[in-house]
Amino acid sequence: MSFERPLGANARADQTTVRRANLGVVLKQIAAGEPRSRASVAAETGLTRGTVSSLVGELIELDLLRETGSDEHPGRVGRPAQTLELGDRVVSIGLEVNVDYLAVCVEDLTGTIRYERRVHTDNRRSSPRPVLNRLGRMATEALAAVSDLQLVPAGIAVALPGIVEAQTGTLLWAPNLGWSEILVADEIAARLPDLPHLAVRAENESNLAALAEHWQGVARDAENFVCVFGEIGVGGGIFIDGELFRGSHGFGGEFGHITVDPTGPRCKCGSAGCLETFVGLEAITRRAGIAIGAGGRARSITAEIVRRAEDGDQAVLTSLAEAGRYLGLGLGSVVNLFDVDVVVLGGCFGPLAPWLVDDVRSVLDERVLSSAWSGCEVRASEFGEGAAVRGAAALTLMSVLAEPWLVAERAGSPRERVS
């Protein structure tokens, strides 16, 4: 089907709009599968070969596409059909503020990580300013690496724990940090004054973890799934029909605050018996008798739990078994409500999955009403604790695929090409 339209009264505006739409059509078509030629793209999209050739030229100029140097049909008589693939020079910077660490990740359009860093520290004991100062310095270091590699930054996004107003980049409330009403996107932008053209966005960490799984992770083939992102807090990102489900106000997915025992422990949110008080990292370590320390923290709590589980520490194994059962209890309600096909165990639950997954599956089989007719697959994230920051990078990259003309504008050289 062609997106080209006949000229009309507002011909230039129409041509600009149509050309922009067609840039996205061509770019997403090539991103969707194996490298292919201009002729194949034309046949698959319904656009004329001349139009595709012109659009491809612009996308190559923007470093979004590149020629592979390979013929689509080697050995065929006639002019070789050079194949095209996504370029790897346009990148996005993902940042993350977590209760226990700060992270930065630079990812390109092909899904390759070009730079990453994680600093383990107890951010609950700090006010927002010094934490954001440190994150700003990490972003500056990442951007310096981007410059050294001659890459093109397209945007920055920050993953945050708690309730986030994505439209304004505001962290409304993060119970486990004790922060509220922080304009995080503006704060980070203010710490990067030399890059005023780069858009800075902020989003809930669990939504971004789910986005990462759908972009390059274990849920690439899933249209309906829930990703449970576990750390000190626990959240959930839900995809329905291939789209992130946000709820009426954008605050959906607070999986960790499902009540599983109204007489249970007091949660940081002020309620009692929330799921995260049974399955979060603090709950797992407390039951296992592991002291997680205070102040600056140099290592991952998850890594310590994995080490002890591999060594057969019975207290740790018992604690993980209980966490698995409670996770299954909470997930059973989600699966009953949304009828998803896949559950992804993300964040700390990814590395801990070998000791969680059997109990989760057992409880799902017991609790999901339709389990006899529609199975729900449980998958462990390969990203682990890196899922949210990778999702932050993916947020911009997915926007680039949908609106590739923005790359020129974000690079500080807005332009229009209508031909």
Side-chain angles (χ1 to χ4, degrees), residues 154-157 195-201 396 410:
I156 299 171
L195 296 166
H197 55 276
L198 281 185
V200 180
R201 302 161 72 181
T396 297
R410 288 173 182 172

Side-chain angles (χ1 to χ4, degrees), residues 303-390:
E304 177 65 15
I305 297 171
V306 168
R307 184 187 68 79
R308 295 192 185 206
E310 289 176 339
D311 288 345
D313 185 315
Q314 191 56 53
V316 169
L317 295 176
T318 300
S319 181
L320 288 171
E322 184 170 346
R325 290 191 292 272
Y326 273 106
L327 265 178
L329 188 64
L331 285 167
S333 296
V334 174
V335 176
N336 278 328
L337 189 61
F338 290 103
D339 188 27
V340 296
D341 300 312
V342 175
V343 166
V344 177
L345 302 181
C348 70
F349 300 139
L352 296 175
W355 301 279
L356 298 172
V357 70
D358 287 344
D359 287 297
V360 170
R361 285 175 178 150
S362 176
V363 177
L364 286 178
D365 287 343
E366 177 186 336
R367 296 277 178 172
V368 174
L369 188 63
S370 61
S371 61
W373 302 278
S374 59
C376 180
E377 188 177 355
V378 181
R379 302 178 184 176
S381 170
E382 296 175 0
F383 298 149
E385 293 176 320
V389 72
R390 288 201 64 165

Side-chain angles (χ1 to χ4, degrees), residues 131-396:
V131 174
L132 295 177
N133 284 343
R134 189 168 195 177
L135 190 65
R137 290 193 295 271
M138 291 172 68
T140 300
E141 292 166 2
L143 287 163
V146 165
S147 179
D148 290 343
L149 293 169
Q150 297 185 319
L151 303 175
V152 181
I156 299 171
V158 190
L160 299 167
I163 297 176
V164 180
E165 186 179 66
Q167 295 90 337
T168 62
T170 303
L171 178 61
L172 297 177
W173 187 33
N176 289 307
L177 283 174
W179 297 3
S180 62
E181 302 288 344
I182 309 297
L183 299 171
V184 173
D186 289 347
E187 291 283 351
I188 294 299
R191 287 162 172 79
L192 303 170
D194 296 333
L195 296 166
H197 55 276
L198 281 185
V200 180
R201 302 161 72 181
E203 175 61 274
N204 172 267
E205 62 181 1
S206 300
N207 284 344
L208 292 176
L211 195 71
E213 299 297 344
H214 197 53
W215 166 252
Q216 292 287 341
V218 297
R220 278 175 289 186
D221 62 338
E223 294 292 295
N224 298 281
F225 71 95
V226 58
C227 174
V228 183
F229 186 75
E231 297 294 343
I232 297 298
V234 177
I238 303 168
F239 265 71
I240 301 296
D241 294 333
E243 298 291 336
L244 182 65
F245 175 80
R246 297 177 178 276
S248 297
H249 306 95
F251 307 147
E254 287 297 331
F255 177 69
H257 298 287
I258 293 175
T259 301
V260 292
D261 181 358
T263 64
R266 181 67 57 180
C267 180
K268 296 287 176 56
C269 74
S271 187
C274 292
L275 180 65
E276 74 175 40
T277 66
F278 293 92
V279 304
L281 279 175
E282 284 189 342
I284 293 172
T285 56
R286 183 179 62 251
R287 286 194 302 265
I290 300 173
I292 62 175
R297 185 172 293 126
R299 62 183 302 176
S300 164
I301 302 172
T302 305
E304 177 65 15
I305 297 171
V306 168
R307 184 187 68 79
R308 295 192 185 206
E310 289 176 339
D311 288 345
D313 185 315
Q314 191 56 53
V316 169
L317 295 176
T318 300
S319 181
L320 288 171
E322 184 170 346
R325 290 191 292 272
Y326 273 106
L327 265 178
L329 188 64
L331 285 167
S333 296
V334 174
V335 176
N336 278 328
L337 189 61
F338 290 103
D339 188 27
V340 296
D341 300 312
V342 175
V343 166
V344 177
L345 302 181
C348 70
F349 300 139
L352 296 175
W355 301 279
L356 298 172
V357 70
D358 287 344
D359 287 297
V360 170
R361 285 175 178 150
S362 176
V363 177
L364 286 178
D365 287 343
E366 177 186 336
R367 296 277 178 172
V368 174
L369 188 63
S370 61
S371 61
W373 302 278
S374 59
C376 180
E377 188 177 355
V378 181
R379 302 178 184 176
S381 170
E382 296 175 0
F383 298 149
E385 293 176 320
V389 72
R390 288 201 64 165
L395 188 65
T396 297

